[in-house]
Amino acid sequence: MAGYVVVGMQWGDEGKGKVVDYLTEQVDVVVRHQGGNNAGHTVVVNGNTTILHLLPSGILHSGRQCIIGNGTVLDPAVLLKEIDGVLAAGHELEGWLFISDCAHIIMPYHKLLDKVQEQFRGEGKIGTTGRGIGPAYADKADRLGIRFGDLLNLSMFREKLAKVLEYKNAVLKSLGENPYDVSEVYAEYEGYAERLRPYVGNGVTLVHNALKDGKRIMFEGAQGAMLDIDHGTFPYVTSSTTVAGGVCAGAGVGPSVVRGVAGIVKAYCTRVGTGPFPTEETGEVGERLRQEGHEYGATTGRPRRCGWLDMVQLRRAALLNGATSIVLTKADVLSAFDTIRIAVAYELDGRRTDEFPSQTCQVEQVTPIYEDYPGWREDITGCKTWEELPEKAQKYFRRIEELAGVPISLVSVGPGREQTIKLTEPFAG
Ligand code: GDP
Ligand code: IMO
Ligand code: MG
C-alpha cells in the first residue's frame, strides 16, 4: 500500500500543479481529495500551458488513473468545460477519469450565496473566489448537499432539489434575492448528468482496488496549509481541510496508506484575498516579486499579494502536514534580487517568538525578524543539477532546510516539467 501526498505549505499557488505533473511519472493513480474550482493548478508541458481547476494534474500523462474524490465540491459546468478542453487536446479520458459519486455538487444558489455573503461581510470580506465553495461545503455539513450519486438518479435528484430549494428560496427571499425555479435548475443539471455519467463511480472502491493491486497513488492537495479551515488564519481561509490529514477523509483511506508527504514551498510567499500575511511587501519589493513571478491568480486573475519566505509559518505548516520533504518552487524568481530575506522569527508584544500564533488577531500583530542573504543574480532556469546552481543559491536552499527541519527533495527553477532539479527521491519507500 503506497500513497504519497503533495500539499501546499503556504497560502496556495505554490506550484502544486507543476510538481504533481512532474511526479506523475512515478505513480499509477492521481487523486484530488478536497476543494473545488477555487483551485487553479498550472501545468506547462513543451511550452503549452494548461490550467486545471478540478481534474487532477496527472491528467496530461497517458496511462494514469485520475480520480476526483468524495471530499471535493464540483461545479459540473466547469468540470465539463475542462473535460472538453483535455479531450480536444487529444487525451483519452473514458476509463481513466473517475468522479466519486459522493462528491458534492455546486449548485447555482451556492455561487449566489457566496457573493451575497461577501457583500454582507463588507470590510471583513474574505476575498473568496466566488465559486460557491463555502456555501457548498456548508450544505454538506448541514446535510442539505446534493451529491453526484443523487444527480445520476434523476427522479431522486428532482425530489431533493425541490426540497432544498424550498429552504434556499426562503433564505434568498429574506436576503432580497430572486428565488430559483425548480424546473429550470433541473433542466440545466439534467444535461450535465447525461454527459458526466460515464465518469462517475465508487471512488473509495477505485482507490482501494488500486492499492490492493500494488499501485502507487499520489494525492494532490489544493490550496495551502494557511488556508485550512481549522489551522489557517480563520476566518480568512477556505472551507475544507487543506493539510495532509484531509487525504484520509477526502479519499476514504486510513493514515497508514501515506508513505510520504511532499510539502510544496514557493521560495517567497504569496496570498490572494484578505487576511494576515506577516512578511507581505506592499512596496517596490512586492511589485518586483509579482512581476518576476507573474503572480496573478490562475483562477480569478487577481494580483497576488507578495512577500518574503516566512519560516515561522513554514515550520507550522511542516508540522501540520507531517512533511517528509520540501519541494522548493520558483527559486528562479529570486535571481532578480541583490538581497534575499527570510523571516526566521516574529516579534509579538515586544518579545521574540518562534511560534505561529493560533489567533488570527495575533498573526496580524507580529513583526517578522529577518535574516538577509546575498542574491546570486544569475539565471538559473537552465540548471539541471545541484552542482550547476550558483553557490549562493545552494547556501540559501541549505539554510531553508536547516530552518524548516525538513530536507529539500526537488528544486523547481521554471514552470516547465523539465525545469526541475532532483536532490533526493521525494517519494522514497
Ligand atoms: P498551484 O495552485 O499550487 O498549482 O500553483 P499555480 O499554478 O496557481 O501558480 C504557480 C505559477 O507558477 C504557475 O503560473 C506556474 O506555471 C508557475 N511555476 C511553477 N513552478 C515554477 C518555477 O519553479 N518557476 C517559475 N518561474 N514559475 C513556476
Ligand atoms: P490553489 O489550489 C490561492 C483563497 C481565496 C480566498 C480564500 C477563500 O490554486 O492553490 P474560497 O473561494 O475557497 O472560499 O476562498 O481562499 N483561495 C486560494 N488562494 N490558491 C488557491 O488554490 C485558493 N483557493 C482558495 O483567494 O482568500
Ligand atoms: Mg493556484
Side-chain angles (χ1 to χ4, degrees):
M1 301 238 282
Y4 304 92
V5 181
V6 168
V7 78
M9 295 266 275
Q10 293 151 320
W11 280 278
D13 303 327
E14 297 89 350
K16 298 174 293 293
K18 168 190 163 154
V19 176
V20 169
D21 167 69
Y22 171 82
L23 290 172
T24 298
E25 210 38 32
Q26 301 186 18
V27 301
D28 307 288
V29 184
V30 185
V31 180
R32 265 285 304 268
H33 56 276
Q34 46 75 226
N37 62 311
N38 46 353
H41 295 181
T42 314
V43 178
V44 181
V45 185
N46 299 327
N48 295 318
T49 301
T50 308
I51 299 177
L52 298 160
H53 302 285
L54 293 170
L55 297 179
S57 301
I59 202 81
L60 304 183
H61 289 256
S62 57
R64 303 301 193 282
Q65 258 187 9
C66 285
I67 301 173
I68 304 179
N70 57 274
T72 58
V73 288
L74 307 176
D75 185 329
V78 175
L79 185 53
L80 276 170
K81 198 167 160 221
E82 217 163 285
I83 287 175
D84 286 341
V86 171
L87 287 173
H91 299 276
E92 212 184 312
L93 290 186
E94 264 196 65
W96 295 108
L97 172 67
F98 301 94
I99 304 161
S100 164
D101 53 3
C102 293
H104 279 248
I105 299 175
I106 295 184
M107 303 297 291
Y109 44 84
H110 292 139
K111 289 182 267 191
L112 177 60
L113 282 167
D114 197 350
K115 293 204 173 79
V116 172
Q117 285 171 351
E118 280 285 82
Q119 280 161 14
F120 178 78
R121 290 181 189 114
E123 289 273 290
K125 78 176 165 65
I126 294 167
T128 71
T129 58
R131 304 299 195 256
I133 306 296
Y137 275 118
D139 272 2
K140 175 178 174 174
D142 247 346
R143 281 120 329 144
L144 284 174
I146 298 178
R147 311 202 288 187
F148 259 91
D150 303 324
L151 183 62
L152 296 194
N153 181 338
L154 285 169
S155 57
M156 193 192 340
F157 173 64
R158 198 185 171 109
E159 218 174 280
K160 285 203 177 183
L161 178 66
K163 193 80 201 134
V164 174
L165 274 184
E166 250 178 62
Y167 174 72
K168 290 287 167 189
N169 281 341
V171 173
L172 287 170
K173 270 192 225 160
S174 74
L175 292 166
E177 298 294 332
N178 290 330
Y180 284 93
D181 178 75
V182 179
S183 301
E184 272 176 31
V185 179
Y186 175 82
E188 181 188 343
Y189 278 67
E190 184 187 26
Y192 302 143
E194 286 323 306
R195 284 217 49 214
L196 289 168
R197 191 180 293 279
Y199 302 107
V200 180
N202 186 325
V204 172
T205 302
L206 284 161
V207 167
H208 285 275
N209 282 347
L211 288 169
K212 204 165 60 200
D213 292 345
K215 296 198 167 134
R216 287 157 71 93
I217 302 189
M218 173 162 48
F219 298 96
E220 174 182 1
Q223 290 82 50
M226 292 298 123
L227 290 173
D228 182 90
I229 183 79
D230 284 278
H231 303 288
T233 49
F234 190 88
Y236 305 105
V237 293
T238 190
S239 304
S240 66
T241 297
T242 63
V243 295
V247 163
C248 295
V253 296
S256 53
V257 161
V258 176
R259 291 269 181 85
V261 178
I264 316 305
V265 177
K266 201 182 278 192
Y268 49 96
C269 277
T270 61
R271 176 165 201 167
V272 195
T274 329
F277 180 178
T279 60
E280 181 172 17
E281 289 285 333
T282 50
E284 198 225 321
V285 169
E287 189 51 37
R288 188 102 152 270
L289 283 167
R290 188 172 307 116
Q291 294 314 326
E292 296 288 334
H294 306 290
E295 295 295 352
Y296 295 89
T299 296
T300 57
R302 290 180 287 180
R304 294 172 180 154
R305 299 158 64 193
C306 297
W308 297 112
L309 190 64
D310 180 346
M311 296 313 299
V312 183
Q313 177 275 309
L314 210 57
R315 278 193 295 264
R316 172 52 55 102
L319 296 181
L320 291 169
N321 286 305
T324 51
S325 84
I326 284 174
V327 175
L328 192 72
T329 62
K330 304 196 88 159
D332 53 299
V333 173
L334 297 182
S335 298
F337 291 86
D338 288 327
T339 303
I340 299 167
R341 313 195 86 184
I342 307 180
V344 292
Y346 293 154
E347 194 181 293
L348 179 63
D349 297 330
R351 268 188 236 120
R352 185 184 168 112
T353 177
D354 292 326
E355 190 187 22
F356 192 81
S358 49
Q359 295 303 309
T360 299
C361 58
Q362 288 188 317
V363 182
E364 276 160 359
Q365 282 161 21
V366 300
T367 308
I369 298 169
Y370 287 106
E371 273 181 11
D372 285 353
Y373 290 85
W376 46 88
R377 292 301 241 158
E378 255 178 74
D379 181 4
I380 59 169
T381 55
C383 292
K384 299 270 180 248
T385 62
W386 174 259
E387 290 70 30
E388 282 171 46
L389 288 167
E391 209 182 308
K392 283 179 184 156
Q394 291 178 348
K395 273 201 182 135
Y396 169 78
F397 301 151
R398 288 297 179 217
R399 183 66 181 141
I400 293 172
E401 283 185 321
E402 200 173 76
L403 289 166
V406 181
I408 295 176
S409 53
L410 304 173
V411 176
S412 171
V413 292
R417 193 186 269 175
E418 69 295 343
Q419 290 175 296
T420 313
I421 300 172
K422 192 190 282 183
L423 278 61
T424 60
E425 205 53 73
F427 289 165

